Amino acid sequence: MPSFIDQYVLKVHGACDLACDHCYVYEHADQSWRTKPRTMSPAVAEQVARRIAEHARRHAIPTVRITLHGGEPLLLGVARLRELIRTFRTALDDVVQLGLHIQTNGVTLDEAFLELFAASGVQVGVSLDGDLAANDRHRRYANGRSSHAAVLRGLALLRRQEFRHLYGGILCTVDVENDPIAVYEALLEQAPPHLDFLLPQATWEHPPPRPDGTPAPYAAWLGRIHARWIADGRPVPIRLFDALTAAAWGGASGSEAVGLRPVALAVVDTDGSWEQADSLKTAYDGAPATGMSVFTHSVDHLAAHPGVAARNRNYADLCATCLACPVVNICGGGLYAHRYRPGNGFDNPSVYCADLKLLASEIPAARMRGIPVPRGADPTPPPVHRLPDGAFDAFAAGAGTVRGTEALADMRLSLTRALVAGMDPRDGGTSDLAVAAALGRQLLGELDSGHPAVTAEVLRHPFVLAWARGHLRREAAAGAGDESRDVGDGPRDAWDRQRDRAHIAGIAAAAAWRAGVTTRLPLPVRDGLAHLPGVGAVRVEGAGPTAEVTVERAVRSPHRWIGGTDRSPHRWIGVRRLTTPWLPVALDDLDPYRAAPFADVTRHDPVALDRLSPRQWTAWQVALSRAGRELSLLVPGYAAPLREALRVVVPLRPTPEDRHSPVLLGRGPFGAAGLAMPTGTTDVAAVLLQEFQRTKLDALMDAYVFFDTSVPAFVPVPWRTAPVPVDEALHGLYAQVALAELWRARAIGPAHHGPAHHEPVQAHHGPPFETPRGRDRLRSVQAAGAAFHSSVTWADAAVDALAARARPAPAGARFLAGLRTAIDRLGADPVPTAAARRRASTAGRAGASA
């Protein structure tokens, strides 16, 4: 929860000149407006300004947003509004950067108001529900007269050149009885700089209308607008859609309606009382009240109020249904008021839960589909990403399933699409890199329409997601004035970020090559190379920030290459691939985004190895082939999903602090594993298994809430001297369960591995333990047995510690229960001791002699 509040809604006038039947202020449960003053007095305004200034100084808040609201704030009149605005400017302009806004129904908006707002720097937002028929369904005068023409007159003034800079946008309340495309087109006709769509205020006691009993009509309604908006090239930002996409990649949604990042907001009513978000007026009478006033309580007191804290505590105040939902990090449980039900208050999912699930699953993923929707036609909604039945429990048991792994990969693909779509090439200016980004994005969209399967294959490459996440985080950090945050290799200037954005041209080139489409476009250059993710790189000489590259997949020769301007094959460096059926992966020593996911490294201490020599490549081929074969024979239940998930291995340089382990642990992208150069002592199979566990668990923890993270928790684990964060403890536990399976299989042999059938130890056939080869085998069996017992013992202790101390959410508790079952099974069927192995071997030879 934030320790400060930087957004304020001031109810400057308590009456309204319209009688909208969906208004939560006058028409819903809370009727406190009846006992409040009609207008906010100068004394209240001055005290509000003092409280905000006091709070901003105490917390060093850089910016504050104040929205003048009502009722209808324009009823205050020009003179009173000028006095009110002067009060806030005088008190706050020397303390913070103050953003002043007004939200109006627009019916009395005229030149006098706009001249005041122009002189005072006030942005104007207008409420409009669409065309004449849509708007007049609810937004009428008390006598039933239409308000539509009056609002359009006000909007026409806002569009005039001298007032255009004041135009903040249009807010539209959704009504599923209206034609969504007609509403969308009517709103676009008003040329707003921003749009937002508001779900009508409703609770479980008073649910929203659902025509024909359909479960998610609001998602379908908004989905039609979203598809049309994408087809139109997103001509105007739409806040709800952008908020869902921002939340999908872990950013702040900027909205109370979706996302888990808190929105630090307070409301001041006309009498100076501090209130919670006024949407709570739809829950019950008195719901927004705090019992506090600007005259008696500071903003800090308000921030500590239980109701305000509950709305800003991320996962802590979500119900069990929400905590177990795979899209909770995107929808955030919806608007707090929409969860209300008499009897258990707000401990419920949103009354719009079915709609939010669809919106949170599909809006971020659909950004790049670019499929036009015929007017008047209902688009067929794409499927919602869910794990197949039983897949979650299979993952909790350790190995998972191939179908479950495919579902995780599909979730990652949707996330990648959403992130790539969130990069607006119009932000990049007119530089060579900006042109490359714009052309690359255009080509990628065309290829996605004409060759969707090929484009999806390129976007599935792990380092496309790594690039997209990293770039958007760097952009967000730069926008917040901290360009080094979340970068991992020091500060980056604007040119670096432009080059990152231009990497989309390389992605488009890779898709064109795979699709067999010949094209020519500029690609960004790094250290003399222009990169195509998952395919390779082109050597360029004497180039600037970009180089023109011809992409051509040869069809007459088995050697496929990318040609430069001279189409010379020697200029091409391809990503090498292991073709063994045991482990068909690429060994990527080229991709510029391959290093950051595996470790926090500086630019002067790179971890990822550069281009391997032929001898090194041969060593990798041998090591990975052997590891893949061993996993397939010994732990086939793990090996099959691993072959499905693992697409790329990155060669890493061992570091001194990592000399005992060939893997660098970290949150790498799904489908990639970082592995140090194999030596005679490298246990490649064990490392790949650990990496596979990590990549699965990372994807699962992005989709499900495993723990209550409102308060940091640390858990003691046997493999560390000090307690570790719960996420790290679970990753280690998950690896230990898989390693126990591998060690057990190594000790008893492939014919006897598997939870469903454990053969007697004497059935093992091998060399007699008395021969040199047999003694080596015995030492190997002893080592495997000891490692097995260690892994099981460590896992047993860790799962108990997590269950007791980590505050697991429902999904986390279910996952831990599955791991506990797997550990109990392993512990109940231990690996035989070395003495037993000797006796079994002797008995086997005696039986053979008889």
Side-chain angles (χ1 to χ4, degrees):
M1 171 185 157
S3 59
F4 60 86
I5 291 176
D6 59 2
Q7 296 187 41
Y8 300 85
V9 173
L10 309 186
K11 301 287 189 174
V12 298
H13 203 289
C16 189
D17 42 7
L18 293 183
C20 307
D21 59 14
H22 57 17
C23 179
Y24 58 85
V25 175
Y26 305 110
E27 303 296 331
H28 286 212
D30 183 85
Q31 292 291 299
S32 58
W33 65 274
R34 297 180 183 275
T35 61
K36 301 286 179 71
R38 181 61 63 92
T39 62
M40 179 176 285
S41 68
V44 169
E46 290 169 4
Q47 183 63 13
V48 171
R50 280 193 288 269
R51 289 297 193 193
I52 296 174
E54 167 190 271
H55 187 67
R57 288 192 185 96
R58 178 174 300 156
H59 296 276
I61 300 172
T63 61
V64 164
R65 175 188 175 109
I66 293 177
T67 301
L68 307 180
H69 213 280
E72 170 50 48
L74 295 187
L75 291 179
L76 205 60
V78 172
R80 289 287 303 278
L81 275 174
R82 180 180 291 110
E83 178 184 351
L84 194 72
I85 293 167
R86 185 184 300 119
T87 296
F88 290 107
R89 287 289 182 200
T90 301
L92 294 169
D93 274 346
D94 293 335
V95 179
V96 297
Q97 181 179 342
L98 177 61
L100 277 174
H101 302 256
I102 193 165
Q103 186 65 34
T104 172
N105 59 33
V107 296
T108 59
L109 189 64
D110 59 18
E111 291 188 19
F113 279 118
L114 291 175
E115 288 168 357
L116 166 63
F117 299 150
S120 308
V122 179
Q123 292 285 297
V124 183
V126 178
S127 298
L128 179 69
D129 288 351
D131 56 14
L132 175 64
N135 193 71
D136 284 355
R137 193 182 293 276
H138 302 285
R139 307 184 63 81
R140 292 177 174 269
Y141 291 96
N143 63 4
R145 184 166 51 93
S146 170
S147 66
H148 190 253
V151 180
L152 294 192
R153 283 195 297 270
L155 289 170
L157 288 173
L158 269 175
R159 292 196 301 274
R160 278 173 30 180
Q161 183 175 357
E162 65 267 35
F163 300 131
R164 176 71 190 183
H165 65 289
L166 305 176
Y167 196 174
I170 292 177
L171 176 64
C172 171
T173 300
V174 174
D175 187 329
V176 293
E177 296 287 352
N178 293 325
D179 180 347
I181 302 304
V183 168
Y184 168 77
E185 291 175 342
L187 297 176
L188 283 190
E189 287 177 2
Q190 303 307 314
H194 291 88
L195 276 180
D196 196 12
F197 290 98
L198 180 71
L199 292 172
Q201 301 297 344
T203 66
W204 288 100
E205 183 180 21
H206 300 291
R210 298 189 183 277
D212 304 322
T214 52
Y218 295 87
W221 195 92
L222 288 164
R224 287 189 61 194
I225 290 179
H226 181 262
R228 171 65 183 278
W229 179 63
I230 292 292
D232 288 348
R234 294 186 294 156
V236 58
I238 296 182
R239 185 186 184 199
L240 176 60
F241 300 157
D242 291 338
L244 287 165
T245 301
W249 65 270
S253 70
S255 169
E256 276 205 313
V258 296
L260 286 170
R261 298 285 186 93
V263 176
L265 177 144
V267 178
V268 183
D269 214 331
T270 55
D271 62 350
S273 58
W274 288 118
E275 290 194 343
Q276 303 176 63
D278 55 354
S279 58
L280 287 170
K281 291 179 181 292
T282 199
Y284 58 88
D285 197 18
T290 64
M292 300 180 181
S293 165
V294 296
F295 295 103
T296 59
H297 293 82
S298 68
V299 181
D300 280 354
H301 286 119
L302 177 68
H305 183 276
V308 176
R311 290 179 18 251
N312 290 329
R313 270 202 300 258
N314 289 355
Y315 292 115
D317 279 79
L318 291 171
C319 68
T321 301
C322 290
L323 290 173
C325 179
V327 297
V328 66
N329 61 313
I330 303 175
C331 83
L335 195 68
Y336 192 72
H338 294 170
R339 307 174 199 167
Y340 179 74
R341 186 196 302 265
N344 66 343
F346 298 94
D347 189 24
N348 306 286
S350 169
V351 72
Y352 291 103
C353 180
D355 300 282
L356 290 172
K357 277 185 177 180
L358 284 171
L359 293 171
S361 298
E362 299 308 327
I363 293 298
R367 276 287 182 90
M368 286 187 64
R369 290 197 176 101
I371 302 172
V373 178
R375 299 194 180 200
D378 288 320
T380 301
V384 178
H385 292 305
R386 298 186 182 92
L387 288 181
D389 291 343
F392 185 89
D393 293 326
F395 284 126
T401 64
V402 171
R403 287 188 61 216
T405 305
E406 290 172 344
L408 291 179
D410 288 342
M411 293 178 188
R412 278 298 197 262
L413 174 60
S414 290
L415 175 59
T416 302
R417 284 184 176 278
L419 299 189
V420 174
M423 300 177 191
D424 191 344
R426 293 172 294 183
D427 295 340
T430 57
S431 67
D432 289 346
L433 288 168
V435 170
L439 292 176
R441 183 188 178 94
Q442 179 181 353
L443 175 60
L444 189 61
E446 293 170 357
L447 291 169
D448 197 28
S449 296
H451 306 273
V454 169
T455 307
E457 182 65 19
V458 172
L459 293 177
R460 286 182 188 274
H461 191 275
F463 303 133
V464 174
L465 178 56
W467 157 75
R469 272 181 155 165
H471 173 62
L472 288 172
R473 284 171 178 164
R474 285 189 288 272
E475 289 283 359
D482 179 10
E483 296 192 10
S484 65
R485 185 176 62 193
D486 286 332
V487 172
D489 58 353
R492 290 173 179 260
D493 58 20
W495 189 88
D496 290 319
R497 296 195 306 276
Q498 283 192 28
R499 186 173 63 175
D500 279 347
R501 185 186 295 115
H503 188 63
I504 195 172
I507 296 169
W513 181 85
R514 289 181 180 274
V517 174
T518 299
T519 187
R520 183 176 176 84
L521 76 165
L523 302 184
V525 177
R526 296 172 183 268
D527 300 323
L529 294 175
H531 293 274
L532 286 75
V535 179
V538 183
R539 289 193 185 95
V540 294
E541 297 175 0
T546 65
E548 291 282 336
V549 173
T550 298
V551 179
E552 183 178 54
R553 183 170 181 169
V555 296
R556 292 175 297 177
S557 168
H559 302 290
R560 294 162 181 155
W561 51 279
I562 310 298
T565 55
D566 60 358
R567 298 176 180 248
S568 302
H570 70 272
R571 298 168 64 88
W572 172 242
I573 312 171
V575 170
R576 290 178 286 207
R577 300 181 183 279
L578 192 68
T579 57
T580 171
W582 304 109
L583 191 66
V585 296
L587 194 74
D588 199 330
D589 50 10
L590 291 171
D591 197 291
Y593 298 92
R594 69 192 185 280
F598 297 105
D600 290 329
V601 298
T602 67
R603 189 168 297 178
H604 305 292
D605 185 25
V607 168
L609 291 175
D610 290 328
R611 188 66 170 178
L612 301 178
S613 68
R615 178 174 294 180
Q616 289 174 319
W617 164 234
T618 299
W620 276 98
Q621 285 180 294
V622 172
L624 291 173
S625 296
R626 288 176 176 173
R629 182 177 185 276
E630 183 183 21
L631 291 173
S632 297
L633 293 176
L634 295 183
V635 283
Y638 282 86
L642 186 147
R643 285 193 298 271
E644 174 63 32
L646 191 61
R647 305 168 69 86
V648 179
V649 172
V650 176
L652 302 178
R653 177 176 54 81
T655 58
E657 63 273 16
D658 193 49
R659 60 185 180 276
H660 299 302
S661 175
V663 66
L664 287 175
L665 297 178
R667 285 183 65 85
F670 185 80
L675 185 66
M677 193 71 192
T679 66
T681 60
T682 302
D683 192 343
V684 177
V687 172
L688 289 176
L689 197 56
Q690 291 180 77
E691 284 285 270
F692 177 50
Q693 294 297 90
R694 175 198 52 75
T695 197
K696 285 188 305 183
L697 188 55
D698 284 344
L700 285 167
M701 294 184 78
D702 280 348
Y704 294 87
V705 180
F706 274 55
F707 301 107
D708 172 11
T709 58
S710 58
V711 178
F714 293 82
V715 176
V717 292
W719 55 88
R720 292 285 185 268
T721 56
V724 299
V726 294
D727 283 9
E728 182 179 336
L730 184 59
H731 278 79
L733 167 61
Y734 205 40
Q736 291 301 330
V737 172
L739 289 174
E741 297 275 14
L742 178 61
W743 290 121
R744 184 180 188 284
R746 283 173 169 173
I748 68 174
H752 318 293
H753 174 69
H757 56 283
H758 294 151
E759 306 270 344
V761 67
Q762 59 265 29
H764 175 80
H765 297 287
F769 289 129
E770 287 75 10
T771 65
R773 185 180 175 194
R775 284 192 290 272
D776 289 342
R777 170 65 182 165
L778 176 60
R779 283 191 291 270
S780 176
V781 167
Q782 288 175 318
F788 166 79
H789 289 294
S790 293
S791 289
V792 171
T793 301
W794 286 2
D796 186 74
V799 74
D800 287 344
L802 279 165
R805 303 192 183 193
R807 299 189 302 276
R814 183 175 170 185
F815 197 79
L816 290 176
L819 289 175
R820 162 51 67 197
T821 300
I823 295 165
D824 289 345
R825 172 181 56 77
L826 288 165
D829 192 6
V831 172
T833 64
R837 298 285 297 183
R838 287 193 184 95
R839 291 194 298 270
S841 178
T842 301
R845 292 198 305 275
S849 298

